[in-house]
């Protein structure tokens, strides 16, 4: 069974953000990099007990394209809950 992790953030108040740079690492793997204009990002096909390191930063308008510092979070995908049956 696999899960999906959804990360979300706000645009902030320190100036206009045009895009966001996303980096994430699953387990001990290498970082994967992506760019988005959305304030949400999802990662599919994650197995229970998998560790995910996710970071995002904003990129401002051209020509400066100022970049913020990365905001980072670490999560562990929980085990799927098992249905519980009870007898009356």
């Amino acid at each position: 069974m696999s899960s999906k992790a959804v990360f979300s953030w706000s645009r902030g108040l320190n100036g206009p953000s045009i895009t966001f740079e996303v980096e994430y690492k699953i387990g001990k793997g290498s970082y994967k990099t992506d760019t988005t204009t959305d304030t949400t990002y999802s990662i599919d096909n994650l197995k229970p007990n998998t560790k995910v390191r996710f970071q995002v930063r904003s990129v401002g308008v051209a020509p400066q394209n100022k970049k913020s510092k990365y905001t980072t979070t670490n999560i562990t995908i929980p085990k799927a809950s098992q249905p519980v049956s009870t007898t009356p």
Side-chain angles (χ1 to χ4, degrees):
M1 176 178 236
S2 64
S3 298
K4 173 167 62 171
V6 179
F7 301 89
S8 64
W9 58 92
S10 65
R11 289 195 173 273
L13 303 172
N14 292 333
S17 298
I18 301 302
T19 59
F20 299 96
E21 290 181 357
V22 169
E23 289 187 349
Y24 66 92
K25 180 168 76 165
I26 300 170
K28 294 182 180 182
S30 300
Y31 275 102
K32 295 182 182 181
T33 304
D34 201 358
T35 302
T36 183
T37 57
D38 293 328
T39 56
T40 61
Y41 193 86
S42 62
I43 304 170
D44 294 324
N45 300 319
L46 297 170
K47 295 187 171 130
N49 293 322
T50 300
K51 295 181 189 247
V52 178
R53 180 178 178 88
F54 180 86
Q55 48 192 41
V56 62
R57 70 178 170 184
S58 63
V59 180
V61 294
Q64 292 88 6
N65 295 337
K66 284 188 175 184
K67 297 178 181 181
S68 70
K69 293 181 180 180
Y70 276 108
T71 298
T72 305
T73 189
N74 296 293
I75 65 165
T76 300
I77 303 303
K79 292 181 182 178
S81 37
Q82 298 294 324
V84 176
S85 60
T86 59
T87 307

